[in-house]
């Protein structure tokens, strides 16, 4: 027997309807090139999104066509998200930190029809425009007086484009499985792969991000998404905030600047923010140097790469709860969150330090398993390491225009490429990327755990561990470190001594090498492939 409930489609236009009616007066604050503190309301935002939809409508695109964005977190980017998806097109967010050849590849692979971009990115885009013959035009997200000079004739100004348009537009009724947005993985090897989100997956993911033990966004929150809208839809914040009625504060190009972030937090009353560990280090450095505090900030969501315990403990001193999360572009991105901070009084200090650094438990809607090399499920005992696989309604079922990927080899599951343990309470610890795993004497060493410990040393700016060949053990860990600016005296022995007692003795790296700067991927993760190249001929002193 079938249930007798309405089959209302889960579409992004339903977010617009709800937010306009219920939270239309709530504010969106943005830092842009033409206004250091632009502010307006959700009501105004969606009115302008309709104006933009009317303008796009004149381009006679077909449903499902891709409209790309190349932009910081700000209100015009938000309007473009909604105007394109609610009109039945696909908003393809491009990471401006990709190499030019990757940008050309993904614009052509996605078959982008129009590209919306911040004036900051025009030099990058103009340089590759001729290599993107399918693009019909470029819209610069600014006012006429800030338009860059160009010889190209298919370059429009965003404000001029929408100025005369009507604020009324009837969003089409879409099937909930219609594609709404597209994001390419940064791809450390091979070409980037496209993840195509649907209206349904986005709405379900929005519900998930609102749950109290995930991002827990409510109408009382003032949310500052630092995680970029050009990477996995800013972890869903642009959808969750209008649903909850949370005020949004968007830092634009200043997302990596500790001083701007602290000022925005204090002046706008930010209660919650989300970003990768590096931005939190920038904020901490600024707070330490300036003596400023961030009294309104209640919690930060940290993900994208492992958050060191030292960062969490530093934020404790500012009264900020650090919530670790794990996910991927292929997972919209939310997979697990660690809400241990909400129950910290139930733990001893030592247990709390242990429990908070793992990435937490699966969010309801995401099922996880770990498997061995024969694809047999491993126990959730906190010890067995295995390949982490996931499934759920906001996990990608295949890549865009790519039918057979190894990650989808097991029907119904997605292989994340991460190696993890899961304890009996369902807490997941990410120990490595599969390709970064270090096997010493047949046993795995978690490079992430060693890196986290090393980063806790006050003289270490960044640390990475890679496996290098060793005649006796097969592989041994090599620790590669960037020292803090004023820490030239830090030695390898200092660091090995620091790690002693904090991690298993046989995990202590055999050697430490110092470099001036860490190589990073376009999403800010340490590029271990480059480190392996850099140390390709390296031999351990005792080998
Ligand atoms: P991306 O698709 O670029 O967001 O990258 C996803 C990958 O980032 C995951 O597969 C993990 O390897 C890594 N990652 C994300 N969050 C975390 C975390 N909290 N701890 C460790 N690694 C993480």
């Amino acid at each position: 027997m079938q249930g007798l409930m309405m089959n209302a489609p889960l579409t992004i236009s339903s977010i617009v309807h709800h937010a306009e009616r219920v939270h239309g007066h709530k504010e969106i604050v943005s830092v842009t090139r033409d206004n250091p503190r632009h502010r307006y309301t959700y009501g105004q935002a969606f009115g302008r999104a309709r104006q933009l939809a009317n303008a796009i409508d004149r381009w006679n695109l077909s449903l499902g066509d891709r409209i790309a964005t190349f932009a910081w977190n700000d209100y015009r980017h938000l309007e473009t998200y909604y105007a394109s998806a609610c009109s039945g097109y696909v908003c393809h967010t491009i990471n401006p930190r990709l190499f030019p050849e990757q940008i050309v590849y993904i614009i052509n692979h996605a078959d982008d029809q129009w590209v919306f971009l911040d004036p900051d990115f025009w030099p990058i885009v103009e340089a590759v425009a001729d290599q993107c013959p399918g693009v019909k035009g470029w819209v610069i997200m600014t006012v006429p007086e800030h338009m860059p000079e160009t010889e190209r004739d298919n370059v429009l100004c965003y404000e001029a484009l929408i100025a005369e348009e009507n604020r009324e537009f009837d969003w089409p009724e879409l099937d909930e499985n219609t594609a709404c947005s597209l994001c390419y993985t940064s791809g450390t090897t091979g070409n980037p792969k496209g993840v195509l989100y649907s209206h349904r997956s986005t709405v379900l993911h929005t519900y998930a991000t609102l749950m109290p033990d995930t991002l827990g966004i409510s109408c009382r929150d003032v949310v500052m998404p630092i995680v970029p809208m050009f990477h996995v839809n800013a972890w869903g914040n642009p959808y969750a905030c209008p649903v909850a009625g949370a005020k949004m504060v968007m830092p634009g190009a200043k997302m990596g600047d500790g001083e701007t972030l602290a000022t925005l937090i204090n002046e706008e009353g930010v209660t919650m923010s989300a970003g990768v560990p590096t931005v939190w280090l920038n904020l901490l450095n600024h707070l330490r140097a300036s003596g400023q505090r961030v009294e309104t900030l209640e919690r930060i969501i940290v993900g994208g790469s492992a958050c060191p315990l030292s960062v969490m403990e530093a934020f404790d001193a500012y009264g900020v709860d650090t919530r670790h999360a794990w996910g991927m572009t292929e997972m919209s991105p939310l997979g697990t969150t660690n809400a241990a901070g909400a129950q910290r009084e139930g733990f001893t200090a030592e247990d709390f330090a242990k429990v908070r650094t793992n990435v937490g438990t699966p969010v309801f809607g995401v099922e996880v398993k770990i498997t061995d090399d024969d694809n047999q499920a491993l126990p959730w005992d906190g010890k067995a390491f295995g390949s982490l696989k996931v499934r759920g309604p906001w996990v990608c079922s295949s890549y865009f225009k790519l039918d057979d990927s190894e990650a989808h080899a097991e029907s119904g599951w997605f292989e994340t490429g991460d190696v993890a343990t899961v304890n009996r309470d369902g807490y997941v610890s990410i120990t490595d990327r599969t390709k970064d795993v270090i096997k010493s004497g047949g046993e795995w060493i978690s490079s992430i755990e060693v890196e986290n410990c090393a980063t806790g040393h006050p003289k270490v700016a960044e640390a990475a561990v890679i496996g290098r060949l060793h005649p006796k053990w097969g592989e041994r860990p090599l620790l590669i470190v960037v020292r803090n600016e004023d820490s030239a005296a830090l030695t390898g022995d200092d660091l090995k001594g620091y790690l002693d007692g904090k991690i298993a003795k046989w995990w202590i790296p055999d050697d430490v090498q110092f470099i001036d700067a860490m190589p990073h991927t376009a999403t800010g993760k340490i590029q271990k492939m480059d480190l392996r190249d850099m140390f390709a001929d390296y031999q351990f002193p005792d080998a």
Side-chain angles (χ1 to χ4, degrees):
M1 194 178 358
Q2 297 265 294
L4 294 173
M5 306 308 283
M6 293 184 187
N7 208 359
L10 304 175
T11 56
I12 293 173
S13 49
S14 65
I15 296 181
V16 175
H17 289 310
H18 171 79
E20 276 184 321
R21 290 273 168 92
V22 183
H23 307 301
H25 61 288
K26 285 302 208 47
E27 257 191 325
I28 301 174
V29 178
S30 310
V31 177
T32 65
R33 169 101 80 92
D34 41 51
N35 188 341
R37 206 69 72 87
H38 174 276
R39 52 180 79 237
Y40 69 170
T41 63
Y42 280 113
Q44 289 168 302
F46 293 125
R48 279 170 51 94
R50 286 198 180 80
Q51 286 178 274
L52 178 57
N54 276 310
I56 295 175
D57 204 35
R58 296 180 200 286
W59 295 341
N60 291 323
L61 302 178
S62 303
L63 286 185
D65 274 350
R66 270 73 66 201
I67 293 178
T69 62
F70 217 95
W72 301 115
N73 292 9
D74 68 29
Y75 68 103
R76 293 190 185 106
H77 200 176
L78 189 80
E79 291 163 8
T80 312
Y81 259 47
Y82 278 93
S84 49
C86 295
S87 300
Y89 310 120
V90 174
C91 182
H92 170 205
T93 52
I94 303 180
N95 185 338
R97 297 183 186 129
L98 291 171
F99 295 120
E101 57 273 21
Q102 290 177 313
I103 292 170
V104 170
Y105 171 83
I106 64 173
I107 289 179
N108 291 331
H109 187 265
D111 198 10
D112 292 329
Q113 300 294 299
W114 283 79
V115 178
F116 284 66
L117 63 140
D118 267 348
D120 288 356
F121 301 128
W122 179 241
I124 305 177
V125 171
E126 191 174 29
V128 299
D130 283 337
Q131 297 168 59
C132 308
V135 175
K136 307 208 165 51
W138 313 86
V139 180
I140 314 241
M141 298 156 106
T142 190
V143 287
E145 44 289 20
H146 290 159
M147 280 295 281
E149 297 215 344
T150 175
E151 304 280 289
R152 304 192 75 86
D153 54 4
N154 53 352
V155 181
L156 310 181
C157 166
Y158 185 97
E159 290 301 331
L161 176 71
I162 68 168
E164 302 300 322
E165 296 293 350
N166 198 318
R167 280 175 185 252
E168 300 301 317
F169 183 86
D170 288 331
W171 304 119
E173 280 186 22
L174 301 170
D175 179 290
E176 64 180 10
N177 289 305
T178 306
C180 64
S181 57
L182 175 65
C183 180
Y184 281 73
T185 61
S186 45
T188 46
T189 50
N191 282 321
K193 295 192 274 295
V195 180
L196 189 61
Y197 310 102
S198 69
H199 283 256
R200 175 187 153 82
S201 72
T202 304
V203 171
L204 289 173
H205 181 262
T206 302
Y207 280 115
T209 58
L210 291 167
M211 292 195 286
D213 290 337
T214 62
L215 273 54
I217 296 173
S218 85
C219 64
R220 293 171 299 286
D221 276 314
V222 178
V223 176
M224 179 165 70
I226 304 177
V227 50
M229 289 169 74
F230 57 70
H231 184 59
V232 219
N233 301 319
W235 299 352
N237 284 197
Y239 305 111
C241 292
V243 168
K247 171 178 164 184
M248 276 181 102
V249 179
M250 299 204 271
K254 299 284 192 169
M255 61 209 277
D257 177 38
E259 185 177 355
T260 306
L261 298 180
T263 307
L264 285 172
I265 292 168
N266 288 324
E267 293 183 4
E268 299 296 338
V270 171
T271 59
M272 180 277 202
S273 184
V276 296
T278 330
V279 301
W280 303 121
L281 280 172
N282 293 348
L283 178 60
L284 280 173
N285 286 340
H286 167 75
L287 295 179
R288 285 187 191 119
S290 65
Q292 243 181 318
R293 298 204 50 97
V294 278
E295 300 294 353
T296 58
L297 191 61
E298 292 166 11
R299 64 194 187 286
I300 55 173
I301 313 295
V302 191
S305 31
C307 181
L309 180 62
S310 52
V311 170
M312 298 184 175
E313 291 182 339
F315 272 108
D316 284 350
Y318 289 95
V320 179
D321 182 30
T322 314
R323 196 172 284 187
H324 208 183
W326 166 85
M328 304 182 74
T329 308
E330 289 87 339
M331 300 176 69
S332 304
L334 201 56
T336 66
T337 51
N338 189 329
Q343 331 158 40
R344 72 170 72 194
E345 57 295 338
F347 295 100
T348 62
E350 198 182 329
D351 285 349
F352 183 54
K354 265 190 217 141
V355 76
R356 69 192 307 202
T357 46
N358 66 50
V359 295
T361 51
V363 171
F364 171 65
V366 175
E367 204 183 327
V368 311
K369 67 173 178 179
I370 42 173
T371 57
D372 63 15
D373 291 346
D374 299 323
N375 203 21
Q376 297 302 307
L378 290 165
W380 287 18
D381 59 7
K383 294 192 185 81
F385 290 70
S387 164
L388 181 61
K389 294 184 180 151
V390 292
R391 64 178 174 192
W394 55 85
V395 176
C396 89
S397 58
S398 68
Y399 289 108
F400 185 48
K401 298 187 193 165
L402 181 71
D403 286 338
D404 49 344
S405 85
E406 269 178 38
H408 290 100
E410 184 181 349
S411 172
W413 289 89
F414 172 74
E415 184 165 347
T416 62
D418 286 335
V419 177
T421 62
V422 188
N423 78 10
R424 54 169 196 199
D425 300 320
Y427 279 90
V428 177
S429 284
I430 307 290
T431 57
D432 262 306
R433 291 290 293 163
T434 318
K435 55 187 186 318
D436 296 335
V437 154
I438 303 172
K439 246 184 177 175
S440 172
E443 301 279 346
W444 281 354
I445 293 176
S446 165
S447 66
I448 293 187
E449 205 169 321
V450 181
E451 286 158 7
N452 277 349
C453 268
T455 314
H457 193 290
K459 293 186 175 164
V460 170
E462 274 188 291
V465 176
I466 57 171
R468 290 293 81 186
L469 291 181
H470 190 283
K472 181 164 174 203
W473 301 107
E475 263 186 335
R476 287 295 299 155
L478 169 68
L479 175 60
I480 302 163
V481 167
V482 177
R483 298 181 181 99
N484 275 332
E485 269 171 20
D486 50 355
S487 305
L490 178 69
T491 67
D493 283 342
D494 293 342
L495 273 169
K496 287 204 253 176
Y498 175 79
L499 294 176
D500 198 7
K502 294 191 173 65
I503 51 174
K505 248 199 163 35
W506 63 279
W507 284 20
I508 295 180
D510 287 24
D511 192 16
V512 183
Q513 293 282 312
F514 294 94
I515 57 175
D516 293 336
M518 238 0 129
H520 289 111
T521 67
T523 50
K525 297 182 216 294
I526 293 178
Q527 178 63 282
K528 291 204 177 169
M529 213 168 57
D530 287 359
L531 288 178
R532 281 191 282 267
D533 285 348
M534 250 173 175
F535 290 92
D537 300 326
Y538 174 84
Q539 292 198 327
F540 287 106
D542 71 335

